[in-house]
Amino acid sequence: MSKNSKNWRPATQLVHGGTLRSQYGEMSEAIYLTQGFVYDTSEAAEARFKGESEGFIYARYGSPTNDMFEKRMCALEGAEEARATASGMAAISAALLCQLRAGDHIVAARALFGSCRWVVETLAPRYGIECTLVDGRDLANWEKAIQKNTKVFFLESPTNPTLEVVDIAGVAKLANQIGARVVVDNVFATPLYQKPLELGAHVVVYSATKHIDGQGRSLAGVILSDKEWVTEHLQDYYRHTGPAMSPFTAWTLIKGLETLAIRVKQQTENAAKIADFLAEQKEVARVIYPGRADHPQADIIKKQMTGGSTLVAFELKGGKEAAFKLQNALDVVTISNNLGDTRSIITHPATTTHKNLTDEARAELGIAPGIVRLSAGIEDAQDLIDDFAQALKAI
Ligand SMILES: *Cc1c(COP(=O)(O)O)cnc(C)c1O
């Protein structure tokens, strides 16, 4: 029996949504680590392959543990269909490439996760797909970039690492006028704080490596949309190119989703307190936090997000040297490039996640040498603030 109610609120969906119990009535979801499925008769196999009988065929197409994860994500996101993938990048590249062909054009915000930028800027053109990158903060730039062959708008909001936002409803309106689709990488907002499908976007993608697992165990992704888009564009691409997720990973994500709401709540509270603390420090030039009234796009945030962020970006007056000294002096907070984890993590984007960009591209995105990105964990907020207070003294 499957547990499913459209009326449940997110915290309930996260615990019960999509649960599929076997005849043993297990409490925790089962891990079906199987590559394939058996049929009682030849006729049953024929019917399954013809699509005349319900059931799984091959784990590259879908399997029970993955199905539970996909259904729970659909319930949370308000999507009709989902496909689990082996990484966030598998999700994003599939979501874009499955619906594009030679001669098509993408408009994308230039502030994208590094690998996403490589996919649209370097990979897509090899297959004859043109791409225009724009400063996504201003809707006029999206409109100006439209061509006759524009098929997809692609964006991330808030962006990594400078937490800029894009007006998703505004971009969706432009896309609908020309029959193009909007793909949103919703990692930084989490499914709890922003619902791109409700704002008019057509496809939502996640790196589930981040908040959805949230405990540094898994590499994973998921694509969500309506039934029609999945059937027409994604289904065959997904089945035949093989980005499928391992059922074991799907199980870790099901466990991750159970605690997503309480983790994100604690991380957001911690991030907000640290942002307020950092804003008062003399070594800090500026703090960028979507939950603060001084965020440059606070009006759009209010319109499309229901919570701040678990991430904080800030710039140190002392540039790279100060950033390195601060990071090295932190004790509770760990240096790493992951985010959305239970542990607080700090990153210096200019020398790590964004080192492959040209100096000019980094400057365009506001990634100054003194910019540091914090992903707040679920530790005690005061311990984190104490840690920053002692580390700032090292500068
Ligand atoms: C991490 C991340 C990705 C890529 O996900 P992987 O799971 O590492 O493949 C894409 N977009 C954003 C915004 C991310 O933070």
Side-chain angles (χ1 to χ4, degrees):
M1 200 190 75
S2 145
K3 282 202 171 212
N4 243 323
S5 168
K6 282 206 164 28
N7 301 326
W8 288 335
R9 290 166 184 81
T12 311
Q13 293 290 10
L14 285 166
V15 179
H16 296 289
T19 296
L20 190 69
R21 290 212 163 92
S22 78
Q23 71 272 33
Y24 300 114
E26 63 279 355
M27 168 58 82
S28 176
E29 294 78 357
I31 311 176
Y32 292 91
L33 268 179
T34 180
Q35 131 292 323
F37 303 85
V38 298
Y39 314 93
D40 287 340
T41 61
S42 321
E43 289 77 10
E46 184 182 31
R48 190 77 54 85
F49 272 75
K50 274 187 174 167
E52 288 168 357
S53 80
E54 288 263 315
F56 299 103
I57 293 175
Y58 193 50
R60 170 149 46 77
Y61 295 6
S63 59
T65 312
N66 292 36
D67 192 56
M68 285 189 261
F69 167 65
E70 290 167 352
K71 289 213 164 69
R72 197 167 288 183
M73 282 303 306
C74 282
L76 182 61
E77 196 71 44
E80 289 172 358
E81 290 276 334
R83 291 292 182 273
T85 59
S87 70
M89 285 319 304
I92 293 159
S93 53
L96 294 172
L97 296 176
C98 77
Q99 60 178 328
L100 288 161
R101 58 205 64 216
D104 288 348
H105 175 239
I106 316 174
V107 182
R110 67 189 183 191
L112 287 178
F113 184 77
S115 300
C116 296
R117 214 168 134 148
W118 184 85
V119 168
V120 295
E121 223 181 356
T122 307
L123 180 68
R126 288 184 195 165
Y127 298 92
I129 302 159
E130 278 184 278
C131 173
T132 306
L133 290 174
V134 298
D135 177 347
R137 289 171 295 183
D138 186 351
L139 275 180
N141 295 333
W142 292 90
E143 189 165 13
K144 259 184 276 170
I146 292 173
Q147 301 180 6
K148 271 209 187 78
N149 54 347
T150 303
K151 293 286 162 57
V152 169
F153 289 77
F154 176 47
L155 64 95
E156 177 184 315
S157 183
T159 64
N160 176 32
T162 49
L163 308 170
E164 290 174 1
V165 297
V166 178
D167 180 347
I168 297 172
V171 173
K173 202 170 155 203
L174 286 174
N176 284 329
Q177 283 166 6
I178 59 161
R181 293 188 200 87
V182 180
V183 178
V184 176
D185 177 343
N186 206 37
V187 167
F188 272 52
T190 82
L192 295 164
Y193 289 159
Q194 183 166 272
K195 305 272 188 217
L197 299 177
E198 283 175 17
L199 295 165
H202 305 83
V203 182
V204 182
V205 283
Y206 288 98
S207 163
T209 313
K210 312 297 166 52
H211 305 82
I212 293 173
D213 173 46
Q215 290 150 84
R217 305 167 295 191
S218 313
L219 191 67
V222 60
I223 309 165
L224 298 120
S225 185
D226 56 58
K227 211 178 182 78
E228 193 187 327
W229 182 83
V230 170
T231 308
E232 190 181 335
H233 298 282
L234 182 61
Q235 180 151 302
D236 285 348
Y237 184 100
Y238 180 86
R239 288 181 166 195
H240 306 307
T241 63
M245 173 187 286
S246 154
F248 183 77
T249 302
W251 183 80
T252 65
L253 301 175
I254 288 168
K255 298 295 109 187
L257 286 175
E258 279 180 19
T259 57
L260 181 74
I262 54 171
R263 281 186 287 110
V264 167
K265 181 167 178 273
Q266 179 71 32
Q267 288 171 328
T268 306
E269 281 172 21
N270 287 355
K273 286 180 187 161
I274 296 165
D276 288 345
F277 168 79
L278 289 171
E280 301 291 311
Q281 307 307 309
K282 63 179 189 310
E283 297 86 355
V284 176
R286 63 180 174 130
V287 171
I288 314 163
Y289 182 63
R292 275 173 65 89
D294 62 1
H295 188 286
Q297 297 163 287
D299 53 332
I300 300 173
I301 291 167
K302 218 169 152 186
K303 211 174 71 176
Q304 69 186 22
M305 293 182 72
T306 53
S309 175
T310 65
L311 291 119
V312 182
F314 58 101
E315 183 171 1
L316 291 159
K317 288 176 186 161
K320 176 183 165 184
E321 198 189 331
F324 272 33
K325 278 189 178 152
L326 173 87
Q327 293 200 139
N328 293 344
L330 286 165
D331 182 25
V332 182
V333 181
T334 314
I335 303 173
S336 183
N337 40 292
N338 191 24
L339 62 97
D341 199 277
T342 49
R343 288 149 286 217
S344 291
I345 290 173
I346 198 145
T347 310
H348 182 247
T351 53
T352 60
T353 52
H354 292 71
K355 76 160 183 21
N356 287 339
L357 291 179
T358 61
D359 290 348
E360 193 190 13
R362 261 197 304 278
E364 259 177 18
L365 298 175
I367 308 172
I371 289 271
V372 180
R373 184 194 80 190
L374 170 76
S375 169
I378 61 170
E379 302 96 337
D380 189 287
Q382 195 55 50
D383 285 332
L384 297 172
I385 290 171
D386 291 349
D387 199 23
F388 274 100
Q390 67 79 19
L392 282 165
K393 290 199 186 107
I395 306 174

